[in-house]
Amino acid sequence: MNTSELLHNIAKDRVEGMRTIDSFQLKPAVVSITQADMSLDLKNDLWILNTKGIPASIDELEMVSSDNVFTATPEEYDFMDEYRYQVFTDYIDIKTQSNDFKPFRLEFVKIIPHRNPHSGD
């Protein structure tokens, strides 16, 4: 399974149980991490981590949302397969442990849900 298929399957699984959602779209997002501790407001979207690698200058990356806690060192992340595609909801608190913080980028794919206009009938 290629990455695109995997991302679509993850999105479909997450949206499937939501009664008022009838479709979704995926949209890439790149976030510049400019401080060791940052927070992102995801609004109503779900975000899938889609970063190829964590910079070696980081000792550990921790990402916490309302429904997920994910931590990894660059070495651990390099060895992850499908597990690296973590889904985050509501917000992401990003904490970076390193001796000398340098800004870096994280790549995500947003799952943007589309509500069924007749769901309240």
Side-chain angles (χ1 to χ4, degrees):
M1 180 180 313
N2 67 34
T3 304
S4 178
E5 288 175 319
L6 178 63
L7 291 170
H8 274 87
N9 284 343
I10 291 169
K12 193 173 111 200
D13 287 348
R14 290 303 291 254
V15 171
E16 209 165 64
M18 300 177 182
R19 284 193 327 213
T20 60
I21 307 299
D22 62 353
S23 64
F24 63 89
Q25 72 185 85
L26 299 181
K27 181 178 178 187
V30 177
V31 177
S32 293
I33 307 303
T34 56
Q35 350 176 32
D37 288 359
M38 273 183 68
S39 288
L40 303 173
D41 180 1
L42 307 184
K43 307 210 182 329
N44 290 326
D45 301 333
L46 305 164
W47 286 32
I48 306 170
L49 182 63
N50 189 34
T51 294
K52 290 172 185 51
I54 299 171
S57 61
I58 294 172
D59 295 329
E60 185 175 73
L61 178 67
E62 179 182 83
M63 301 173 67
V64 177
S65 72
S66 64
D67 62 351
N68 194 357
V69 175
F70 177 71
T71 58
T73 65
E75 297 81 23
E76 290 168 344
Y77 195 82
D78 284 345
F79 285 104
M80 291 179 187
D81 289 325
E82 283 88 10
Y83 188 72
R84 74 171 57 186
Y85 300 99
Q86 295 288 311
V87 180
F88 300 92
T89 306
D90 298 325
Y91 62 88
I92 306 174
D93 290 335
I94 301 168
K95 290 188 170 96
T96 308
Q97 293 180 13
S98 66
N99 292 332
D100 182 25
F101 178 83
K102 294 179 181 67
F104 63 99
R105 295 166 23 140
L106 289 176
E107 296 175 35
F108 294 90
V109 173
K110 288 190 215 181
I111 305 171
I112 302 170
H114 296 287
R115 302 207 180 282
N116 181 340
H118 304 294
S119 60
D121 292 345

